[in-house]
Amino acid sequence: MSDRPLTLLAVHAHPDDEVTSTGGVLAKYAAQGVTTIVVTCTDGRCGDGPNGVKPGDPGHDPEAVVATRRRELEASCAALKVSHLETLGYHDSGMMGWDTNDAPGSFWATPVDVAAQRLAALIEKYQPDVVLTYDENGGYGHPDHIQVHRVTMAAVELAKPAKVYMSAMPRSMMVKVGERMREMGIGLDGPAAEDAPPMGWEDEDITTRIDVSDVIDQKFDALSAHASQGDGAFFLSLGRETFSLVMGVESFVKVGDSADGNETDLFN
């Protein structure tokens, strides 16, 4: 029997994505002695600049945003006790339909097989027991998240890790978030709006739920590290107690093998 520690590798699109869907499991398993690796595929250059300035607006310096988000990513991974951080360095593709989708060097414009070979090399290097990725829609349709799914699935065909899971936000969770927003008087639009099409997975399709309430403070601190971005502001505004109620369970769908929906450990 090998005495090599169990190993978990999570593939993400941008700096800060490592927290929202997998920050809890990264911290939880790191505390148990599991080797944890975060692979961040893009540099986040289409994120917010100082004072929330958006790409293309005066004052948005993509290279400065990249540098800031790299520092924040490192701080976040430190809070989660991540063992190794790997970055592929592709350019952030921006939201679907932006000109940046097709810009040279963007992740969306990169052939899947090219990026998959790079990711497969990391899988072969670290030999993870579990790989985490997104679902086919990338959770909410962002091109870089969709590309993460495509690239990861192509890479695992090449490197064949033991188990693969997709992050899966249950619809009941989305409902809970919407309720909290209404209670707080926060305006609802986009995916949070009452008349928007349902997002997330049907609860009965979730195969795996991991209770991360014991490391929720680390998850909160890791999200706080990404201070330059407004994406996590709502969750942080909940305060630690409500944040724990909303974000204290991370859910996944196991790829390939069937599961009965009662799995509570990624390494079972």
Side-chain angles (χ1 to χ4, degrees), residues 111-186:
V112 168
D113 62 330
V114 172
Q117 288 173 8
R118 295 183 61 193
L119 179 58
L122 292 175
I123 294 173
E124 290 169 352
K125 173 183 176 180
Y126 289 108
Q127 294 292 302
D129 300 279
V130 172
V131 170
L132 305 179
T133 186
Y134 309 137
D135 63 20
E136 293 179 0
N137 191 45
Y140 67 105
H142 191 295
D144 286 330
H145 287 242
I146 294 171
Q147 187 78 330
V148 163
H149 172 83
R150 294 173 178 173
V151 167
T152 304
M153 298 313 294
V156 300
E157 282 298 311
L158 296 172
K160 300 191 181 303
K163 299 170 73 177
V164 181
Y165 290 86
M166 299 182 297
S167 299
M169 189 73 74
R171 287 190 180 164
S172 60
M173 163 72 167
M174 301 300 295
V175 170
K176 185 183 295 186
V177 169
E179 290 173 349
R180 292 290 178 180
M181 292 181 75
R182 281 185 283 275
E183 289 170 2
M184 297 173 67
I186 297 174

